[in-house]
Amino acid sequence: MIEGLRRLLWPKKIRNPRLYRPYYVGRHLPMPFLVLGSGPSVHTHRREIEAFMGERAPVVLAANYPPSDLPVHYVGFCNRLRLCTYGERAKRLALYGLLVDPHIPAWVVQKHIGPDGWERMPYRSGPQPFEIHDGIIQCDCGQTGSLLLAVAYLMGASEVWAAGFDGYDDPSQHHWYPEPDFPLHRLRQLEARVKVVLPQMREYFKAHGVGGPWLLTPSKAYPEFYRG
């Protein structure tokens, strides 16, 4: 009963979390990185993804739902419901651990994935221009996948690639795995935000000697970033 009362009183979201320089800054310097989004091309272009992994041996970050048949080093979560739904699976598959949004309370994380095996990926919520100060990303980057591009940079990437950043042009299929989705108008808003952030991110990376972000798989939403 006491535990139940605590759950009712504890916040379901940390609105103004304290942000600290993450321990992962420079952890994999210098390495190529590959970020796996949730788009169908993760499935339809699996051969290209596997070939890239075999040739380049990148550090792999996945958003929400890692493939069970590909090596994934980290899995990132910005959505509480997806953490609760997929967190246990992700912890089992992630070789190095989970990366968790600072707005998700620790008690939620610990309940679903335990006290260890995860760390925060600090960023400032809101649509500010892309920037990084002392390891803290200064905007929300639009979505988990695009936020992970910035995390890859912080971890020490020499170049940053992505797959599964398809956009929401096809309303019948938004993910390579079964997933209940936000309303389409909300997805369009997120896509519009990513379209603003990606060019800013590319300029920031270039100014600091890092390649990318480049897309390994085709994208109707962000075609100018596709390099194949």
Side-chain angles (χ1 to χ4, degrees):
M1 180 177 179
I2 294 176
E3 185 66 18
L5 290 173
R6 285 176 177 170
R7 299 297 187 201
L8 290 173
L9 293 173
W10 286 346
K12 294 184 177 181
K13 180 176 182 180
I14 304 172
R15 300 198 176 277
N16 297 292
R18 292 184 179 180
L19 303 177
Y20 302 94
R21 177 182 174 88
Y23 292 111
Y24 55 65
V25 173
R27 182 180 292 169
H28 299 289
L29 182 70
M31 289 284 291
F33 274 69
L34 174 63
V35 175
L36 299 178
S38 301
S41 62
V42 171
H43 175 70
T44 59
H45 290 70
R46 181 61 61 90
R47 184 174 298 178
E48 292 91 331
I49 294 171
E50 290 176 344
F52 180 84
M53 289 183 174
E55 293 168 4
R56 306 297 297 278
V59 178
V60 180
L61 284 64
N64 302 315
Y65 194 94
S68 60
D69 57 346
L70 293 176
V72 173
H73 300 94
Y74 298 92
V75 180
F77 289 96
C78 288
N79 181 278
R80 172 181 165 166
L81 178 60
R82 287 174 177 160
L83 172 71
C84 296
T85 305
Y86 305 130
E88 184 177 349
R89 178 184 184 277
K91 185 177 181 181
R92 185 174 69 253
L93 294 175
L95 299 175
Y96 296 160
L98 307 189
L99 305 167
V100 180
D101 188 298
H103 300 85
I104 301 176
W107 71 265
V108 174
V109 184
Q110 292 171 3
K111 177 182 177 181
H112 292 277
I113 63 175
D116 53 20
W118 60 279
E119 56 190 317
R120 297 292 193 185
M121 47 179 178
Y123 69 91
R124 297 194 184 281
S125 183
Q128 300 89 334
F130 180 80
E131 186 67 60
I132 297 175
H133 294 157
D134 195 27
I136 298 172
I137 302 161
Q138 299 296 302
C139 67
D140 57 25
C141 296
Q143 292 183 307
T144 305
S146 45
L147 182 67
L148 289 176
L149 297 174
V151 172
Y153 168 87
L154 284 167
M155 285 189 171
S158 57
E159 55 187 44
V160 182
W161 292 80
F165 281 56
D166 302 3
Y168 304 105
D169 184 68
D170 180 359
S172 66
Q173 187 177 17
H174 297 151
H175 299 82
W176 64 268
Y177 56 91
E179 166 76 49
D181 222 331
F182 296 124
L184 186 57
H185 76 276
R186 175 58 177 154
L187 295 175
R188 297 290 193 198
Q189 291 175 348
L190 296 175
E191 182 180 290
R193 175 65 184 141
V194 176
K195 286 182 177 180
V196 172
V197 170
L198 284 183
Q200 297 175 354
M201 197 178 290
R202 179 172 55 187
E203 291 303 311
Y204 188 92
F205 286 10
K206 182 179 180 181
H208 292 81
V210 174
W214 299 315
L215 298 184
L216 183 63
T217 55
S219 172
K220 292 183 178 180
Y222 322 109
E224 67 273 29
F225 292 89
Y226 174 58
R227 291 188 60 171

